[in-house]
Amino acid sequence: MVQEYQSPVRVYKHPFELIMAAYNKRFPKCHLIPVFVDSEVISENQSQDGSTVVIERRCKIDIDAPRLLKRLAGVDYLYFIQKNTLNRRERTLVIEIINESFSSRVISHEYCKYSVHPENNEWTCFEQTASLDVKSFYGFEGMAEKIAMKQYASNIEKGNEIIQYHLKELEKEGITYIPRWTQTTPTEAITGNCVKAVVSARVEDNTKGILTTSAHGQSDQHDAKDKLDADYIRRYLGDLTPLQESCLIRLRHWLQETHKGKIPKDHHVLRFLRATDFNFDKARELLCQSLTWRKKYQVDYVLDSWERPQLLQDYYTGGWHHNDKDGRPLYILRLGHMDTKGLMRSLTEEVLVRQVVAINEEGLRRCEENTTTFGQPISCWTCLVDLEGLNMRHLWRPGLKALFRIIEVVEANYPETLGRLLMLKAPRIFPVLWALVSPLINENTRKKFLVYAANDYQGPGGLLDYVEQKFIPDFLGGDCACDIPEGGLVPKSLYRTTEELEIEDNRLLTESIYKSASIFKGAPYEILIEIIEASSVITWDFDVSKGDVLFNIYHSKRAPQLPKKDVIGASGLTSFGGSQLLDKSWVLGQDYSLVEKSLTCREGESAQGSHITRWPGCYILQWCFHSCPAASASSLSYVDDVLASLQVSSHKCKIMYYTEVLASRDISGSMTSLESNHSGFSQLSVSTTLSSQSHTSSTVSR
């Protein structure tokens, strides 16, 4: 496979002729390049007017390779042919290098060019490309390729250092100016000026939006600024290795050749390269998919065209808030105060996805602004998540499915935009959420997560290490007012019906995740859950659509007699519709025990909760008909008595429920990952995992 490399344009703020004098001082050998042992001129030709000089050299190179590989190849040195073509009239030097050694096994070609800067004829530009094709090399093709890549990167880094060194040497010798070659004709001078004018006229402005467009609606890959300047890269993109710069330039040129019109800005292209560890092919594939997505959903215009529904403005508890200490934009999300279930029931999944897309687009815009403001590359932002109030309501299954989709959209289209994620006031239920979400998050992104329990964020290594005191919000103990909605429960009057959600192509509530059940007086509805491992987590979520119910959880070491069963999935969950599993002969406290306090839920209420199991065995979730206390006889008229008796005679409640079991190994894995991040949450994680007592979290919403 042919490997290609390209370096950014290096700009020397010295005239071409002086740079040529410094360049020639490296021959026949240079002590600054230890691998460059020697060189000899094998041919030299000059045009009649002296404007063009062509010199061919045979260069002797001592490659830094394992001794064993050299012995297998039967050589101590490698030889390359270097052809230098100096055009004094055009003020260019073209360097072509090919390998002489192993030319039948390896094809190496390097191309370099020194030329006058198109906008300042007192400056000199240098650009360099190379290709390598290792066809066969004694079974060590991969090693040979790595050695060549390492050598190429070293040459790029050394090149600038060597020129600067010899410029200083010339200065010590009193040489600070070398006159230009003077034999030119008027026609040639006019031609040269016209070429410069054309090049200057084609310079593009790259300042608006994620995408940029050339003046004629298509990319001009030969524009002066299409060749990235090394100083520009350091100023706006950050420090990159030569091979990373090469990947960026190659991907940029490929986009210019294949995508007519708009192409992404350099910092956006760089994010995809960083996300794939600068794997050119993977980055190109992901970037193309993202560009297609952006075009399909008109993402470039979302900030200008999309108006957030008033419901989001009132109940979505997130917003931008100044910057962190590194100059990154700071986004705050009060997740524990957000009614995710209410938002999902009132809006559609598409609205929430568009909200997150708009947040990310705004983040990209703020990064560009901060890059200009702070004079350094800012390519990502910091997210601060307040988890106070997080409970099982946030683990509502359809809401989690929407969250999973949002994560997929962000991971695919906004890679490497999260610089740091600070999660504060993590409750005991957090490991459950983490176990569900963490597998969907890229490993590099997970390393940026810092989790703090309770008030740990106020101590050493906490929030003050990342955010200045004057910008810490008041609800986290700071003095800064934070203009973010406080959230709260979304009124059920704003909920949409299942039919309305279906019309808007939201299928979350119509999938077979939730089951319906009827409960009769004297005939409770029970579910048997077989737990194999202690410390597993049983989670539940149910809505009471009719009547009042009493919810209980029991544990028994004995398995009840099962009239029939319908195994759901592989979670160990077995459902028995309407059947009473607890044997009437069993005695509470002897044959089975109540492991949670009974929970009463009225008609129209929702309940979410979890239970960390203490023992293996059989757990039974039970919903019972719950009747209200009878009123006094004097308080009801005869008609009211009749109506009440008719109502009681129905003795029926209805629920819609979902339950799931999380294995203890999954929870432990999530805690291990948190500990590996040096999280302040690690102490809490250990205590939760190893505790000999069961823990529960349950909430009821009205």
Side-chain angles (χ1 to χ4, degrees), residues 15 27 98 168-169 179 197 275 277 289 319 358 529 558 598 601 621 658:
F27 298 106
I98 59 174
K168 293 179 180 179
E169 291 295 305
D277 292 327
Q289 293 173 357
I529 299 177
R558 298 171 54 186
S598 298
C601 296
L621 275 60
Y658 173 80

Side-chain angles (χ1 to χ4, degrees), residues 83-153:
K83 179 182 178 181
N84 290 1
T85 303
L86 174 64
N87 190 320
R88 295 189 177 110
R89 177 184 291 109
E90 298 294 337
R91 303 177 75 195
T92 62
L93 173 66
V94 175
I95 306 168
E96 294 180 89
I97 306 172
I98 59 174
N99 60 302
E100 181 182 77
S101 302
F102 307 107
S103 57
S104 61
R105 297 177 178 271
V106 179
I107 300 176
S108 172
H109 182 262
E110 188 172 345
Y111 175 91
C112 308
K113 183 178 181 181
Y114 288 90
S115 60
V116 178
H117 194 285
E119 297 178 3
N120 189 332
N121 58 17
E122 294 299 321
W123 291 357
T124 305
C125 295
F126 173 76
E127 52 190 302
Q128 182 177 14
T129 61
S131 64
L132 175 69
D133 185 8
V134 182
K135 297 182 179 298
S136 65
F137 203 78
Y138 310 103
F140 291 90
E141 291 79 13
M143 180 181 293
E145 187 175 292
K146 290 180 180 179
I147 292 173
M149 291 173 61
K150 180 180 178 181
Q151 189 63 51
Y152 175 76

Side-chain angles (χ1 to χ4, degrees), residues 143-213:
M143 180 181 293
E145 187 175 292
K146 290 180 180 179
I147 292 173
M149 291 173 61
K150 180 180 178 181
Q151 189 63 51
Y152 175 76
S154 177
N155 289 344
I156 293 175
E157 293 176 342
K158 277 287 185 181
N160 180 56
E161 177 186 337
I162 294 169
I163 290 292
Q164 297 294 345
Y165 173 81
H166 288 305
L167 284 172
K168 293 179 180 179
E169 291 295 305
L170 288 172
E171 186 176 358
K172 291 178 182 179
E173 297 172 11
I175 302 174
T176 57
Y177 173 77
I178 296 177
R180 299 182 188 178
W181 189 76
T182 56
Q183 185 178 344
T184 58
T185 65
T187 302
E188 292 168 339
I190 293 173
T191 302
N193 290 334
C194 289
V195 170
K196 291 181 181 179
V198 171
V199 172
S200 298
R202 295 171 65 187
V203 173
E204 277 304 321
D205 182 19
N206 239 2
T207 56
K208 291 186 178 180
I210 290 296
L211 305 177
T212 60
T213 312

Side-chain angles (χ1 to χ4, degrees), residues 302 306-313 316 343-344 346-359 402 405-406 496 501 504-506:
V302 68
W306 189 57
E307 294 185 6
R308 291 197 308 159
Q310 187 61 45
L311 190 67
L312 273 182
Q313 298 181 38
Y316 190 88
L343 289 174
M344 280 294 302
S346 306
L347 301 169
T348 65
E349 180 182 320
E350 296 303 322
V351 170
L352 295 179
V353 171
R354 187 164 288 270
Q355 163 76 354
V356 174
V357 168
I359 291 171
R405 182 186 170 195
I406 289 171
R496 300 191 181 198
L501 294 172
E504 300 199 27
D505 201 27
N506 188 326

Side-chain angles (χ1 to χ4, degrees), residues 7-25:
S7 68
V9 176
R10 310 283 174 179
V11 178
Y12 299 100
K13 298 182 179 181
H14 300 277
F16 175 80
E17 288 73 21
L18 193 61
I19 295 297
M20 289 299 97
Y23 171 78
N24 286 326
K25 290 182 74 67

Side-chain angles (χ1 to χ4, degrees), residues 679-697:
S679 165
F681 189 75
S682 59
Q683 294 290 334
L684 177 60
S685 302
V686 173
S687 64
T688 305
T689 307
L690 302 179
S691 174
S692 61
Q693 299 180 354
S694 65
H695 301 287
T696 185
S697 172

Side-chain angles (χ1 to χ4, degrees), residues 173-459:
E173 297 172 11
I175 302 174
T176 57
Y177 173 77
I178 296 177
R180 299 182 188 178
W181 189 76
T182 56
Q183 185 178 344
T184 58
T185 65
T187 302
E188 292 168 339
I190 293 173
T191 302
N193 290 334
C194 289
V195 170
K196 291 181 181 179
V198 171
V199 172
S200 298
R202 295 171 65 187
V203 173
E204 277 304 321
D205 182 19
N206 239 2
T207 56
K208 291 186 178 180
I210 290 296
L211 305 177
T212 60
T213 312
S214 67
H216 301 289
Q218 58 184 359
S219 61
D220 300 321
Q221 61 257 32
H222 301 296
D223 283 3
K225 287 194 176 179
D226 284 343
K227 301 171 182 178
L228 295 184
D229 184 282
D231 293 336
Y232 161 81
I233 290 178
R234 285 192 296 271
R235 169 63 178 82
Y236 293 98
L237 305 180
D239 293 329
L240 303 176
T241 68
L243 294 181
Q244 290 172 346
E245 292 174 340
S246 173
C247 285
L248 172 61
I249 296 170
R250 288 174 56 212
L251 185 52
R252 191 174 187 268
H253 285 180
W254 180 83
L255 288 169
Q256 290 169 340
E257 293 172 356
T258 57
H259 286 67
K260 301 301 181 182
K262 294 183 176 181
I263 63 171
K265 286 189 174 181
D266 300 323
H267 49 71
H268 196 60
V269 174
L270 186 58
R271 289 188 178 100
F272 286 86
L273 286 168
R274 284 175 170 152
T276 57
D277 292 327
F278 287 86
N279 184 305
F280 178 83
D281 293 328
K282 289 183 180 179
R284 178 176 61 182
E285 179 182 357
L286 295 178
L287 182 56
C288 286
Q289 293 173 357
S290 180
L291 291 177
T292 301
W293 172 81
R294 295 185 69 88
K295 181 179 180 181
K296 179 178 180 180
Y297 295 102
Q298 297 291 295
V299 176
D300 293 333
Y301 310 104
V302 68
L303 290 180
D304 298 326
S305 62
W306 189 57
E307 294 185 6
R308 291 197 308 159
Q310 187 61 45
L311 190 67
L312 273 182
Q313 298 181 38
D314 295 337
Y315 293 97
Y316 190 88
T317 55
W320 294 99
H321 180 77
H322 301 285
N323 305 301
D324 69 4
K325 287 187 175 181
D326 296 324
R328 296 167 173 168
L330 177 63
Y331 188 84
I332 296 179
L333 179 65
R334 304 191 70 180
L335 182 60
H337 289 246
M338 186 185 299
D339 181 9
T340 54
K341 181 175 181 178
L343 289 174
M344 280 294 302
R345 294 287 293 268
S346 306
L347 301 169
T348 65
E349 180 182 320
E350 296 303 322
V351 170
L352 295 179
V353 171
R354 187 164 288 270
Q355 163 76 354
V356 174
V357 168
I359 291 171
N360 280 270
E361 290 296 306
E362 175 67 15
L364 296 178
R365 185 185 65 80
R366 287 174 177 263
C367 285
E368 287 190 55
E369 292 178 351
N370 286 12
T371 296
T372 301
T373 302
F374 296 104
Q376 63 182 15
I378 304 293
S379 61
C380 53
W381 51 82
T382 293
C383 185
L384 189 157
V385 181
D386 178 12
L387 296 175
E388 184 178 30
L390 187 74
N391 54 53
M392 289 304 299
R393 187 176 179 83
H394 295 88
L395 299 185
W396 187 55
R397 188 69 177 190
L400 285 177
K401 290 195 69 177
L403 174 61
F404 295 160
R405 182 186 170 195
I406 289 171
I407 292 175
E408 289 177 356
V409 169
V410 173
E411 287 280 298
N413 301 286
Y414 301 96
E416 296 298 312
T417 54
L418 181 65
R420 186 181 295 114
L421 180 64
L422 305 172
M423 309 187 81
L424 313 183
K425 301 182 179 180
R428 292 186 181 275
I429 195 61
F430 175 74
V432 179
L433 178 62
W434 179 252
L436 295 172
V437 174
S438 60
L440 300 176
I441 303 175
N442 179 275
E443 182 180 356
N444 290 334
T445 303
R446 289 202 301 267
K447 293 177 181 178
K448 302 171 183 177
F449 284 40
L450 296 173
V451 187
Y452 302 88
N455 294 322
D456 291 351
Y457 70 92
Q458 297 177 349

